Each structure stands twice: as structure tokens, then as C-alpha cells.
Amino acid sequence: MGHILVTGGAGYIGSHTCLELLEQGYEITVVDNLSNAKRESLRRVERLTGRHLKLVVHDVRDRQALDAVFARASTPIEAVIHFAGLKAVGESVEKPLLYYHTNIVSTLVLVEVMLDHGVNRLIFSSSCTVYGDPASVPVTEDFPCSCTNPYGCTKLTIEQILKDVNRARPDFNVALLRYFNPVGAHPSGDIGEDPNGIPNNLAPYITQVLIGKLAELQVHGNDYPTPDGTGVRDYIHVVDLARGHVKAVEKLKENPGIVIYNLGTGRGYSVLEMIRSFERASGKPVPFAIGPRRSGDVAANFADPAKAGLELGWQAEFDLDQMCRDSWNWQLKNPDGY
Ligand code: NAD
Ligand code: UFG
């Protein structure tokens, strides 16, 4: 099938994507510095698939080490999926240089080394955060882009850099995948999201409340112009998201140049709907209190995923209840993460 290099492959979305790629018969090498992941995630991916993958532990910004990965690959690397990077919005406001340096320099070094080795297919983890506060929903890929925090600005800047590289080198193929809100876990409950410290995101916060690690959820505002006043997002099952990457790998084999896809379900759910779905999944109430709005949050953001449907032959299959059941199953089986 081919050999794929996955940067950041030990992380949440990366580990689920490695699993799907291995199941499709791809050979995988992961480069991850384990700054936000554990080796155990990939051991479990190997156990679940019955297949082996190679993990090389170093920073993507380490050019010499990255060069050696390409030079010494057992079979030529034909495409790269670039997940590696930092992703916490709040932390990016506190430590902008860390975010710009990690996310942007890693991408520059990666693309330079790819070009040195004649590898011309790259899939990049972008985010719906590039749409800023969208004027309307659902958003299509041609909506105007903007950024409101350093994390989002790294995604927008990297998109621009990759567009420029493609303009100069039309044979360099890039898929910019704009993820909406990934939640859930593999249905086995053996791999999932393992945040450090107190989670920033809604789903892992709720599962930690349900398991008794946190006292109650703060709902960040109920005065938004949405049906129940709470924020609306397009939650997408991480397994669906992972399968979108397999489709993107296939797409790049057609040498399409630069392609951009929203990966979302096309349905928005509010914070209160999310709470109810987790209550159904766990059979327990989620204690919560209504708090003030969180700065930087938008009222509603959800995708029009039609383009990915048409051009990738991909669409999300799992519904919100399945996402919450799988998140809860992972939390129950792994109360302390990996
Ligand atoms: P994650 O933190 O679980 O995975 C990122 C991985 O990259 C980790 O394993 C980490 O150890 C590794 N890493 C970080 N910096 C590195 C470096 N310099 N060199 C090598 N490895 C490095 O995050 P995730 O949720 O799996 O996100 C993956 C990608 O998707 C990120 O680029 C993120 O910005 C993007 N994204 C995530 C979300 C989300 O809500 N989870 C939404 C949109 C986009
Ligand atoms: N929320 C709460 N309480 C919490 C956490 C979240 O009410 O404790 C609410 C938020 O206000 C928002 C919704 O739940 O309405 C979802 O919040 P998340 O933090 O889970 O997700 P965001 O949409 O804010 O952000 C996510 C990623 C960002 C990324 C953004 C757009 O965390 O990295 O999607 O891609 F930039």
C-alpha cells in the first residue's frame, strides 16, 4: 500500500489514524517527541491491529534526525501526515513564542526535508479555528479566514506557507484538513484522549467529572444567540476523523496540487445537548453550573462537509451518542489515562 510518515502519531488523533492506516495495509513510521503522548498508545495500536509500526522519538525540528528517518526508511516514504504540534489555545496566549516556534519551525523543517528526499505529498492538521468567528454557519472551505489567538495564527500561517510552496512547486501536493471538534475514542476503549492536567476541552472535562476526578462542569455562558444559549460545535468522532486521513492519503495519489477539506459532521450540538448525551452514555447525572462566557469563544461553528463527501468519498458515520459512549468507555477502562 505504501509507507507513510506520521509526525505526532502517538497523540490523540495520530494514534487513531495510525490504527486505521495499519488496518488498510500501510507501513507506518511515527516521529513523535512524546511531549504530549506516551509510547503505550502506539503499543496498543499494534496490539489492536496485530501489526508493527516504527516509532522514532525526536523533535520534528531536529533536521538531522528527521533526515535520517527518510534516508534510512526500509521502503521509500511516499506521504507524510503532520499532526505534531502544540494545541492549547490558552497556553498559546501565555507562550506565543513556544507555539510559533514549535508549530511553524517543525513544518518548515519537515517540508524542507521532504523536498530534499523527493517526497511530495503532505497532509496537514488544520482546524476550524481558521474561520475565526464565522459570519454564518455551516461554513464552507471558501469562507474568509482569520485568527484570534497564537495557536489559531500558527494554523493559518502554516496553511499560507503550504499554499506558497505549492504555488512555487505545483508538483508538491498538500491536503489541508480543517478538523472541527474531535471527541470519542476507539470502540475498544484501549486508545483515547489522555490530556495532561485539567482538560480545557468539553468532552474530557465531562468524563473526568463523571468519574469523580472533577467536581462539576462550568458551562461557559448560556447567553449566546443559539437555541439554548450555550455554545454550539460540530463534534466529530475521532475514528471518523482518522478515516478522513486515509481518504486524503488516497486523494493525494492523484497529484491534485492543493486541496482543502472541512472534516466535520455538518451538525452542531450545544453544551447542554452534549451533557445530556453523556448522561445517557454513563447513566449518571453530570453536575454543572452556568458560568460566564470564556474569552475568545464563538457562539456557533459547524461544518458544511459536502466537499469532503464529493471529492474524498468521506462522511462521518458516528452520531453524538456513539461519541459520548466511546469517550466514556475509554475513561472507565483507563481512569488515569495510559
Ligand atoms: P496531541 O497533543 O494528542 O498530539 C500531538 C502529538 O505531537 C503529541 O503526540 C506530541 O507528543 C507530538 N509533538 C508535539 N510537538 C512535537 C514536536 N515538536 N516534535 C515531535 N512531536 C511533537 O494532539 P491531537 O489532538 O492529536 O492533535 C493533532 C493535531 O491536530 C495538532 O496539530 C492539532 O493542532 C490539530 N487539531 C487538533 C484538534 C483537537 O481538538 N484535538 C482540533 C483541530 C486541529
Ligand atoms: N465548554 C464549556 N465548559 C468547559 C469546556 C468547554 O462550557 O469546561 C464549552 C465551550 O465554551 C464551547 C464548547 O464547550 O462552547 C466546546 O469547547 P472546547 O474547548 O471543547 O472546544 P472549542 O470549540 O473551544 O475549541 C476546539 C479546540 C481548539 C480549536 C477549536 C477550533 O480545543 O484547539 O476547537 O478548532 F482551535
Side-chain angles (χ1 to χ4, degrees), residues 87-89 127-130 149 151-152 179-182 199-205 217-221 224 230-233 235 271 294 297-299 301:
K87 62 166 183 177
V89 173
S127 164
C128 66
T129 192
V130 300
N149 59 71
Y151 166 73
Y179 313 154
F180 281 69
N181 290 53
N200 296 308
N201 297 117
L202 183 61
Y205 201 104
L217 173 75
Q218 281 283 316
V219 175
H220 298 320
Y224 284 106
T230 66
V232 166
R233 297 289 184 276
Y235 298 98
V271 177
R294 182 172 67 179
D297 273 359
V298 303
N301 196 2

Side-chain angles (χ1 to χ4, degrees), residues 10 75 301 305 310:
T75 59
N301 196 2
L310 217 60

Side-chain angles (χ1 to χ4, degrees), residues 8 10-14 31-37 58-61 83-87 102 125-127 151 155 179-180 182:
Y12 173 44
I13 306 169
V31 171
D32 197 305
N33 65 2
L34 302 181
S35 59
N36 196 36
H58 68 76
D59 198 294
V60 178
R61 290 168 292 180
F83 291 109
L86 300 177
K87 62 166 183 177
T102 307
S125 297
S126 190
S127 164
Y151 166 73
K155 294 294 175 191
Y179 313 154
F180 281 69

Side-chain angles (χ1 to χ4, degrees), residues 134-195:
S136 62
V137 280
V139 297
T140 53
E141 289 82 353
D142 54 5
F143 266 41
C145 290
S146 65
C147 59
T148 52
N149 59 71
Y151 166 73
C153 293
T154 68
K155 294 294 175 191
L156 202 52
T157 306
I158 293 166
E159 285 202 2
Q160 187 59 51
I161 291 169
L162 296 175
K163 286 175 183 170
D164 290 341
V165 174
N166 167 264
R167 206 164 293 130
R169 297 274 311 255
D171 61 330
F172 190 73
N173 299 286
V174 181
L176 303 176
L177 301 183
R178 294 178 177 158
Y179 313 154
F180 281 69
N181 290 53
V183 299
H186 189 263
S188 63
D190 290 341
I191 57 170
E193 188 172 11
D194 183 16

Side-chain angles (χ1 to χ4, degrees), residues 10 15 38 40-41 44 190-194 330 334 336-338:
S15 55
K38 307 235 168 62
E40 179 63 13
S41 65
R44 294 188 187 185
D190 290 341
I191 57 170
E193 188 172 11
D194 183 16
W330 151 257
N334 305 271
D336 297 313
Y338 287 112

Side-chain angles (χ1 to χ4, degrees), residues 2 7 13 44 121 218 234 288 295 306 315:
T7 76
I13 306 169
R44 294 188 187 185
R121 293 177 189 145
Q218 281 283 316
D234 188 339
F288 70 89
S295 109
Q315 65 178 36

